[in-house]
């Protein structure tokens, strides 16, 4: 009856959130209650294959026993202590992370998010070089805080701050000649995403990334690889720059870093780390014991379960099977993929959701993003391919 319908509406989390929260998020018409592996179970009884992973966060899927056990064990022993004291679990996390990082990247500063990681990386570069200009790449996204937003393409529409904290210019992506002409002795650093996630999983060319490395080295500027979305095995290596054979000066990481626990990290060379001492950087919650336990467990699981190889295998399978129906081509790397559609990607996402498959969109309206957990299985890709094949392509 009407009363029951009204009561149901009042207890719906979407209604309750709308009544209390600032309405800045466009939300899908599903309410997850629990999840396991790659599957989400909703309030209304649906079982949805999650190929989006909460914006690339759920590296190990949901309910991974090693991650759950690490979080539970650490929370029982020591829920929190700050960086005012040393912690064995923090040391474990830092050691595991540097062991899988590119050669020469052997120092870590723990933070809480990707934006915070980029904020600190930019600050470190400006201080280390004594310069005041930063170059970023067109179409890139680095976060919504002051410095991270300043180097995000087209951020002016939401930036909000009265001025940017440093001079910024943008190198056209994959334009090697522009990189060579724009990087000079005035530049403190160049920040780039090896695979531009928000832009639709657009993978920069090896030649372009090599040019960034060559020119920054030549002119004494630092190279920052923003691997907030592409890192932690998502692209088939622990960090996407490893696929290009490039060693940056600084790497930022977050999202999948803790498998679902909020955390982030700035990784850098010893040379850069030597320029900072007590009080120069800080974070209350960065490197807290729960986050550290999650980081250590996530790195260990990716290694033990050969998830780098699985990411590469599932990428090959998606490329082979999923250029069907509305999909014209596939870009990206590993399980950070952009499926270029023959219609607005939002339409394809909505149709897939009708098939109980969750994917994501991007700032490119034609690109559907796949950010699946690294534990994705072959039968999951089969299911995606079949669902896409059922969508009639647009006649050219």
């Amino acid at each position: 009856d009407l009363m029951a319908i009204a009561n149901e509406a009042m207890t719906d989390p979407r209604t309750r959130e709308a009544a209390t929260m600032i309405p800045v998020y466009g939300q899908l018409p599903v309410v997850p209650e629990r999840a396991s592996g790659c599957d989400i179970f909703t309030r209304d009884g649906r079982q949805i294959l999650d190929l989006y992973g909460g914006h690339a966060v759920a590296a190990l899927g949901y309910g991974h026993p090693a991650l759950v056990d690490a979080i539970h064990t650490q929370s029982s022993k020591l829920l929190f202590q700050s960086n005012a004291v040393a912690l064995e679990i923090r040391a474990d996390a830092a050691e595991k992370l540097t062991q899988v990082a590119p050669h020469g990247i052997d120092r870590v500063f723990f933070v809480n998010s990707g934006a915070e990681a980029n904020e600190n990386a930019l600050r470190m570069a400006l201080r280390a070089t004594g310069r005041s200009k930063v170059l970023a790449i067109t179409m890139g996204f680095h976060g919504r805080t002051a410095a991270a937003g300043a180097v995000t393409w087209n951020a002016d529409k939401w930036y909000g701050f009265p001025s940017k904290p440093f001079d910024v210019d943008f190198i056209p992506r994959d334009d090697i000649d522009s990189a060579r002409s724009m990087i000079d002795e005035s530049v403190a650093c160049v920040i780039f995403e090896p695979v531009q996630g928000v832009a639709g999983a657009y993978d920069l060319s090896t030649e372009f990334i090599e040019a960034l490395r060559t020119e920054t080295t030549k002119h004494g500027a630092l190279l920052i690889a923003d691997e907030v979305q592409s890192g932690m095995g998502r692209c088939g290596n622990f960090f996407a720059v490893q696929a290009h054979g490039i060693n940056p000066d600084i790497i930022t990481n977050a999202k999948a870093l803790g498998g679902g626990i909020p955390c982030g990290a700035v990784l850098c060379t010893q040379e850069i780390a030597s320029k900072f001492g007590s009080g120069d950087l800080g974070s209350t919650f960065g490197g807290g014991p729960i986050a550290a336990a999650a980081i250590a467990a996530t790195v260990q699981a990716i290694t033990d379960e050969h998830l780098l190889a699985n990411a590469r295998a599932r990428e090959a399978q998606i490329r082979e099977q999923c250029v069907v129906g509305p999909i014209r081509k596939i870009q990206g790397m590993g399980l950070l993929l952009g499926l270029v559609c023959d219609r607005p990607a939002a339409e394809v996402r909505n149709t897939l959701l009708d098939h109980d498959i969750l994917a994501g969109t991007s700032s490119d309206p034609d690109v559907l993003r796949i950010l699946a957990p690294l534990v994705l299985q072959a039968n999951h890709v089969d299911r995606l391919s079949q669902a896409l094949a059922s969508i009639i392509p647009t006649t050219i």
Side-chain angles (χ1 to χ4, degrees), residues 29-49:
V30 295
V31 179
E33 284 198 331
R34 62 185 180 88
S36 177
C38 294
D39 292 319
I40 295 172
F41 299 88
T42 69
R43 193 169 188 259
D44 57 355
R46 296 171 67 184
Q47 181 175 339
I48 297 175
L49 174 60

Side-chain angles (χ1 to χ4, degrees), residues 50-70:
D50 184 8
L51 302 183
Y52 195 60
H55 304 304
V57 168
L60 305 181
Y62 301 97
H64 189 283
L67 179 59
V68 171
D69 181 65

Side-chain angles (χ1 to χ4, degrees), residues 75-321:
S75 63
S76 300
K77 290 170 57 178
L78 180 66
L79 185 68
F80 182 72
Q81 264 299 325
S82 74
N83 291 283
V85 294
L87 297 177
E88 183 174 4
I89 190 63
R90 187 186 300 128
D92 287 345
E95 289 167 359
K96 288 184 184 298
L97 200 51
T98 55
Q99 286 166 4
V100 299
H103 177 72
I105 300 292
D106 50 17
R107 291 285 175 161
V108 181
F109 174 58
F110 286 120
V111 292
N112 305 285
S113 70
E116 188 181 352
N118 284 333
E119 199 84 8
N120 278 280
L122 291 162
R123 182 167 170 241
M124 290 166 67
L126 292 166
R127 175 163 173 166
T129 61
R131 301 174 183 177
S132 61
K133 185 175 183 179
V134 176
L135 296 180
I137 312 301
T138 59
M139 313 307 293
F141 183 93
H142 302 286
R144 292 180 177 270
T145 50
V151 293
T152 291
W153 182 248
N154 278 341
D156 289 346
K157 60 185 178 183
W158 50 259
Y159 189 66
F161 297 100
S163 60
K164 295 181 178 181
F166 41 70
D167 295 331
V168 183
D169 203 353
F170 293 87
I171 303 171
R173 67 182 184 186
D174 279 338
D175 187 332
I176 294 173
D177 289 340
S178 290
R180 289 172 176 161
S181 66
M182 293 175 70
I183 300 171
D184 57 27
E185 279 72 16
S186 70
V187 174
C189 62
V190 176
I191 185 169
F192 75 104
E193 302 164 273
V195 181
Q196 295 184 322
V198 174
Y202 180 92
D203 44 320
L204 298 178
S205 71
T206 296
E207 294 76 15
F208 179 68
I209 296 174
E210 287 175 341
L212 297 181
R213 177 69 284 179
T214 298
E215 295 303 315
T216 50
T217 301
K218 181 192 300 184
H219 297 286
L222 300 182
L223 185 62
I224 302 173
D226 176 348
E227 298 239 23
V228 168
Q229 193 167 129
S230 61
M232 286 305 287
R234 178 151 298 283
C235 291
N237 289 273
F238 264 100
F239 295 96
V241 289
Q242 292 167 317
H244 298 284
I246 299 298
N247 295 331
D249 302 294
I250 300 175
I251 295 175
T252 57
N253 193 212
K255 290 194 183 295
L257 180 61
I261 295 294
C263 55
V266 182
L267 296 90
C268 69
T269 63
Q270 170 59 30
E271 181 180 359
I272 294 172
S274 68
K275 300 179 183 297
F276 298 87
S278 180
D280 288 337
L281 301 170
S283 174
T284 297
F285 292 102
I290 301 299
I295 292 168
T298 301
V299 174
Q300 194 66 52
I302 291 172
T303 302
D304 291 348
E305 298 174 24
H306 309 291
L307 296 184
L308 301 181
N310 189 62
R312 293 192 294 268
R314 298 289 76 74
E315 174 194 3
Q317 185 185 2
I318 290 170
R319 288 185 179 278
E320 180 180 351
Q321 295 181 205

